[in-house]
Amino acid sequence: MTTVKVVRDILEANDRLAAENRRRFDEAGVHVVNLMSAPGAGKTTLLERTIAGLGRELRIGVVEGDIQGSQDAERIERAGAVAVQINTNGACHLDANMVASAVAELDLASLDLVVVENVGNLVCPAEFKVGEHAKAMILSLPEGDDKPAKYPLMFHESRVLLINKMDLAPHVSADPERIERDARAINPQIEVFRVSASTGEGLEGWYDWLRALHRA
Ligand code: MG
């Protein structure tokens, strides 16, 4: 009982901070996407592509969450967007407090879109709001088509599912149809895009979704 109560208190405190973050984003007129996936699914590569594809239309900033290191923030800056790195020092997800201190380093009024690249993990990030307008997730095809059934929460919480690494489809047994069907069974509203962040295939739908979020 005690454990359950403590967990709920942590989540309630986080929700209050997330709501404050959200107010700051709304005041600045910036839309925020919380991007989640397992390690290696292609979050940073997707963001490099997205900056190249949309960076002239939308002013994009990135908050990079990693357990340690700043390689991803350096990649984002080389791609031409402003980036702030958060190191969680072991924590498997970002929380609203960490994101609040990171966005304090950004000039929000000069941005249209901020993507929070969460720590690579298919479980914990889905449990913590950071003040985002929408959650998006990547599942890369080589991870397997059983993942919606095994990790339903992230699929339930996400408005977008990018099935990445479609260029590897001939080499893996995972079935994208099954991923899409099982994801929709968990979350009938989820928007699914089959993409390859490394080749650029299929990304126009994702860009249109981001454009629509920005106009909302
Ligand atoms: Mg990354």
Side-chain angles (χ1 to χ4, degrees), residues 67 88 90-94 118-121 124-125:
I67 288 175
T88 65
C92 58
H93 62 271
L94 296 178
N118 219 307
V119 178
N121 185 300
C124 318

Side-chain angles (χ1 to χ4, degrees), residues 43-45 64-66 72 75 117-118:
K43 294 183 296 303
T44 311
T45 303
E64 275 293 341
D66 282 291
D72 285 359
R75 286 173 61 187
E117 182 185 327
N118 219 307

Side-chain angles (χ1 to χ4, degrees), residues 21-43:
N21 288 349
R22 176 63 187 268
R23 266 194 301 279
R24 287 172 63 189
F25 299 146
D26 287 341
E27 277 168 19
V30 63
H31 286 88
V32 178
V33 175
N34 182 358
L35 180 63
M36 308 177 292
S37 79
K43 294 183 296 303

Side-chain angles (χ1 to χ4, degrees), residues 180-193:
E180 199 163 332
R181 188 173 62 243
D182 288 0
R184 288 190 203 286
I186 294 161
N187 178 357
Q189 269 81 51
I190 199 164
E191 296 216 44
V192 182
F193 302 113

